Amino acid sequence: MPHVPASTALQRFRVIDLTQVRAGPTACRQLADWGADVIQVQMPEHMRGDDTLGGQDGSDYQYTHRNKRSITLNLKEAEGIRVLKRLIATADVVVENFRPDVKYRLGIDYDSLAKDNPGLVYASISGFGQTGPYAARPGFDQIAQGMGGLMSVTGMPGDGPMRVGIPIADLCAGIFAAQGILVALLEREQSGKGQWLHTSLLEAMVYMMDFQTSRWLIDGEIPQQAGNFHPTSIPTGVYKARDGYMNIAVFGSKIWERFCHILGAPEWIEDPRYHDKAARSVNRDSLNAEINRRLAEQDCSHWIERLNEGGVACGLINDMRDVFKEPQVQHLDMVKTVVSNRLGEQRLVGQPVQLARTPSDIVRAAPRRGEHTEEVLGELGITSAQVADMKSAGVF
């Protein structure tokens, strides 16, 4: 079937997805979920490398590639490149995450394509950037987590570096690339011109270090691991009640006073060890021990109710099963249902931003490799006979 937009917001845009693995596909998923016609271009089945997320029937692949169409093209053949360029001539956006030199060798770099499509927005995602001493290095999420500083502040003090439990460098690079694409499309409305934009896993990771970067760049302080406790706001972290663990975040003097009263320890307010932020920082270990001792008298549910009534932020620490039992998660309607012709009904998490007039949805399950090749080629005016000849010649 032709393009079925998941939203009316971006339905006028066509995006050519030349990416593999996660960062690039994430960028394209963001656009597809808001209605763009994302056409995923993959190598033919017999030529493919390990470019899928757990196999095409796996949950990871299904989540990442929903709302897209898929074609196959052999980009090692001149005819495959010619068909790709013909497709790109109809597009608004190209997203690629080849090694920086590959696009030039194939003749599908921005400057080459913009000659025929001056309004083209061309997005490149790499491990370390398009130029510089590390540009040719292979990039991988955990490498960026380490080099960007995240692993140095994650984990328990003294236990050595710790990775985050999601591919955060990949995901952030993809989301930042999608944001950059939208900015370029908005600018194009004024100038009429496209442009090349690029980001990398390393840039995304350094940017996501946020206040930790300013602690070094402005204050000259090298952030250290703080485990489950906030490095500068005390008390904020993981605490143990009678039946399990919970998060508590106490920000500001007024909230601190309320917290002390709720825990039945008003004396902490005037205690010189705890009476201000600086003192609580110095004496964080003794304060945390005192808090845990008080919390151990009741279950998490008791404290969560009392603390929320008092305006003190807190919450359970859920596994994935419990996340989707949360009444608020259910109320937010984050889980969408889509039917795959091959795999049946699927439940997937939708976009975390709600637009009242042009909402996002999941209307198409992840495609099989090349599922829409003949359909898309037909949209380019290529006849059935020509398609048959191309297939025989190994073009797709």
Side-chain angles (χ1 to χ4, degrees), residues 239 241 246-250 255-256 258-264 291 295 299-315:
Y239 296 92
M246 59 185 292
N247 276 313
I248 301 174
V250 180
I255 301 298
W256 164 245
R258 293 182 205 165
F259 177 71
C260 293
H261 283 290
I262 292 168
L263 261 65
I291 292 170
L295 292 174
D299 291 347
C300 288
S301 59
H302 169 86
W303 293 117
I304 287 173
E305 182 177 358
R306 293 286 310 281
L307 290 167
N308 275 301
E309 286 175 352
V312 179
C314 63

Side-chain angles (χ1 to χ4, degrees), residues 292-366:
N292 279 326
R293 185 174 64 81
R294 299 271 178 163
L295 292 174
E297 298 171 1
Q298 299 286 345
D299 291 347
C300 288
S301 59
H302 169 86
W303 293 117
I304 287 173
E305 182 177 358
R306 293 286 310 281
L307 290 167
N308 275 301
E309 286 175 352
V312 179
C314 63
L316 292 173
I317 300 173
N318 293 321
D319 61 22
M320 288 312 304
R321 174 183 55 191
D322 292 332
V323 167
F324 294 103
K325 291 180 180 178
E326 284 281 5
Q328 187 64 24
V329 173
Q330 295 176 5
H331 171 79
L332 292 170
D333 193 27
M334 296 190 71
V335 177
K336 309 297 183 181
T337 301
V338 68
V339 177
S340 165
N341 292 334
R342 179 179 175 84
L343 302 173
E345 186 174 283
Q346 299 175 337
R347 298 170 69 235
L348 302 169
V349 172
Q351 286 293 317
V353 179
Q354 306 300 322
L355 271 64
R357 190 168 49 81
T358 59
S360 169
D361 200 357
I362 302 176
V363 298
R364 193 196 292 266

